[in-house]
Structures are given as C-alpha cells and as structure tokens.
Amino acid sequence: MATPSAPWWQRVDEAAELIASTVNAAAAQARRDGVYVPPDGTPAPRRRRHAASLRHLAEVIRAHRMAPGLAVDKDVVAGVLAGDRRYLSDPVAVVAVARASHHIAGVPFGPDDARRLAVAVGHLGTLIDAAREADRRAPDLLPVPRPSSELVRQEAELPRRRRWLPWAVVLAIFAAGVGSGVAGSRLAAGSAEPTPGAAPTPATGWGCLPSGVPRPDGALVMGPPGTPSVPSIRPDWWSNAVNMGLTTRPAGFVAAVPAGSTLPYEQMVIRSGITLIAGHRYRLDFTVTADRSVDVLLRVQDKRPPAFQPALMESLPLSRVPCRHSYTFTAGRTVTDIGEVTFQLGGVGALVVTVDDAVLVDTGV
C-alpha cells in the first residue's frame, strides 16, 4: 500500500492538480476543435499530425514566442500537462502551454487569464517552500538516532514483554506531533522567543503577535482609507469580484466571499496606490479573523500584467481567533503609485474575512 503524503504535501498536490487540470482542459479543447498548421516557412508534414499534440504545442510556443527566455520542447509541454511540479512551478512554461492551447483552439487568452494562471503558479511555489520547511522540521519530532549496536544492546537488556514500548512511544509522539511540526514550520527561521516586556522582532508573518505590541515605526505608506490618496487610483479597499460582499472600515474591511471560485485571485480585496522603493525595507501589520480555519494568499505586488511582480507573497492562515500578523520584506524594484496590497481569498469556498488596523510603513534602507 502506498504511504500517504504528509498533510503539507497534500495541499501542494491539490494546488498542482488544479493548475494541471486547467491547462489540460484547454489542451483538450484544442485537440477537439483545433487544426494542425505547420509553422511559417515550414513545409507541410508528410504524415498527418494531430492538433495540440505535444510537438504541435511546442511548435506554436516557439513560433509565436510565447515563452520568452525559456526553451520549450515537447518534454516541457508533457511535464506541464502531466502535473510535474518541476514544470508547474514555472509560470512562463505553464502560461505558454495554456496560451498555445487557446491559440490552436481559436479561443481568446488575454492578460487577465495569464495573470490568474501565473498567480496560481506563484501560490503553488509558496506551498512547496512551506512543505519543504515542514519536511526539514519533521525529523525534530523523532529521537536522536543512535548506533544500531547500542540499540541492540539496550533491546537485549529489556524484558521481552516490554520490548515494544519504546517504538510505540516514538510512533505515538510522531503521530501526535505532526500538527505541531506544521505549525512550527510557520515560524520564521532564526526567530527567537520574544523577551518579556519587549516588542518581538517581526519575522515573516508566521504566528501571532502578542497584544499590546505597538504599531511599526516608519514612514506611512498605507494606513486608514484615504492615505495615500492618488487621484487616478482608488485610495480605499476594493474588490475585483462583483459578487463579493465588501464593507470597508476605518482601518480595514469585512469581505463576504461566495463559493464557486477555483483560484485565489478570482476573489481579491485590494488596496491600490502604493509606492515601493527598491532596496527599502517595509513592514505590513494587520489583524485578521475568519469564520473558519483556512489558508489564503497575501501579496504585495505591482499592477503590471501579466507578471504582477510581487514584493511579498505568503500563504496566510486564517481562523476564528483574532491574529495580529507582521510581515517584513525588501522591495526588489521601485513602483510609484502602482503598487497593491492584495488579500486573495478565492478557491477555498464561502468565507467571511475581517481585516483590521492594516498598516504598511517604510522602515528605511
């Protein structure tokens, strides 16, 4: 019998399956409705070729330069369609295969479609990184291994009726501790326990800050609605989904997310008009609650499609218990008034999320 995946890798598998099924659906339509056309300047093949075959998809990607900076052949296409994580983790490859499938089928594939797929790939990458960290921490749940000769000697000294006890205890500890291992992986590497009476150093947002921690110091980038105010850009929280119930508050929002979406970016709450300066460090603080426990996606990004380059991208755990999060990050590029703070809430079913006291500050170089 196959060994079941760890819980953290099950989430990775689910996200990968969703991306692969989306691309495969487009490829299936291309095979059904498309026609094979050889690339310009290439003679017609002697044998009949099927539309949207692996070779055909790779030819279309190369001929129309759909994967800039990436050499795509039929093996890469096969990897994406097969759900291989090595290829599904590359947004250029995934978007290229989807775009080629739509091209062959004669179905439009616009910037919004590319953006949705790229964000899903980014979310998959976040889950993979978190799962690898959980794997790294999982051995901490087991005792330090000793030489086999030492184990044999101690086993021989035990009464026969008690020889099973040490291994039973190990298995029980491991089974009970898997959850704490996952939770522990959410703490930033190298972060220490906060000193009593002192504000803890914010890490990557994992865990909840204790009550009474002051707001971050620095130049205000995003605070209560109306700051910063950019005439051409919405200064308050808004949603990209017309079917979301959104109520803005003095320093946050309440979002009633409906069921039916499949990807995180289909249901977003956004704060626009953000300026980020390359090389500057930033701190984003907010308190969040939800009507059930689930993970969503948090991104600070620019508005340039199709990449929507992120400065911060994290999987955000929600629960019924209010949690004060603090994220620090360094901007890799300068974006003037076109940055966004986005809570991407789709793909997890119906959900009510409340965000309070959201503040983003520039803490300097």
Side-chain angles (χ1 to χ4, degrees):
M1 181 177 4
T3 303
S5 300
W8 45 89
W9 283 108
Q10 289 175 10
R11 293 206 62 212
V12 171
D13 292 339
E14 291 169 359
E17 288 172 4
L18 181 58
I19 297 172
S21 64
T22 300
V23 181
N24 273 281
Q29 183 176 7
R31 285 191 291 270
R32 184 180 65 247
D33 301 335
V35 176
Y36 177 81
V37 177
D40 291 343
T42 303
R46 295 181 179 180
R47 297 180 181 179
R48 180 176 175 271
R49 291 185 179 175
H50 297 286
S53 64
L54 299 180
R55 187 187 300 276
H56 187 203
L57 288 167
E59 287 177 351
V60 170
I61 292 171
R62 292 194 298 268
H64 295 272
R65 299 180 181 179
M66 294 179 177
L70 181 66
V72 176
D73 57 17
K74 61 183 181 63
D75 293 331
V76 174
V77 175
V80 171
L81 295 177
D84 190 321
R85 292 181 197 146
R86 293 174 298 174
Y87 299 103
L88 288 185
S89 299
D90 187 340
V92 175
V94 174
V95 171
V97 176
R99 192 186 300 277
S101 299
H102 283 76
H103 177 85
I104 294 170
V107 177
F109 186 83
D112 288 343
D113 301 306
R115 177 193 180 194
R116 295 189 189 99
L117 205 49
V119 171
V121 173
H123 181 52
L124 174 63
T126 300
L127 293 176
I128 290 175
D129 290 341
R132 287 172 177 164
E133 175 63 13
D135 278 347
R136 186 187 69 80
R137 296 181 62 88
D140 295 342
L141 301 174
L142 297 175
V144 177
R146 289 174 290 180
S148 57
S149 59
E150 176 70 9
L151 291 175
V152 170
R153 184 186 65 78
Q154 292 188 7
E155 182 74 4
E157 293 174 355
L158 289 172
R160 181 178 298 275
R161 59 187 175 86
R162 296 184 58 193
R163 289 184 182 179
W164 59 273
L165 286 175
W167 296 109
V169 171
V170 169
L171 293 175
I173 291 174
F174 182 78
V178 166
S180 62
V182 178
S185 71
R186 292 178 173 173
L187 298 174
S191 63
E193 289 294 322
T195 303
T201 301
T204 59
W206 296 118
C208 303
L209 295 180
S211 60
V213 175
R215 287 185 176 183
D217 294 327
L220 182 67
V221 178
M222 182 196 76
T227 57
S229 180
V230 181
S232 61
I233 300 176
R234 307 185 197 196
D236 300 336
W237 296 101
W238 59 282
S239 175
N240 68 331
V242 295
N243 60 343
M244 178 190 294
L246 181 64
T247 303
T248 59
R249 307 189 344 163
F253 61 84
V254 178
V257 182
S261 61
T262 57
L263 297 172
Y265 47 77
E266 294 180 39
Q267 297 281 338
M268 290 199 298
V269 179
I270 307 165
R271 184 66 182 276
S272 301
I274 305 300
T275 293
L276 302 175
I277 301 174
H280 281 219
R281 290 189 61 79
Y282 293 85
R283 176 171 159 180
L284 173 63
D285 284 34
F286 57 88
T287 300
V288 63
T289 56
D291 61 346
R292 60 188 177 88
S293 296
V294 69
D295 285 5
V296 296
L297 185 63
L298 170 69
R299 280 173 60 108
V300 179
Q301 61 187 32
D302 64 37
K303 293 185 61 178
R304 298 188 182 101
F308 297 88
Q309 187 70 33
L312 170 71
M313 182 168 63
E314 293 286 347
S315 180
L316 173 64
L318 308 179
S319 74
R320 295 177 182 271
V321 179
C323 179
R324 183 72 178 170
H325 288 278
S326 183
Y327 292 85
T328 58
F329 62 94
T330 301
R333 58 191 300 182
T334 296
V335 294
T336 304
D337 299 335
I338 64 166
E340 300 177 323
V341 176
T342 70
F343 289 83
Q344 304 192 8
L345 310 175
V348 294
L351 182 68
V352 177
V353 180
T354 301
V355 170
D356 280 320
D357 199 21
V359 178
L360 175 65
V361 299
D362 182 341
T363 61
V365 179

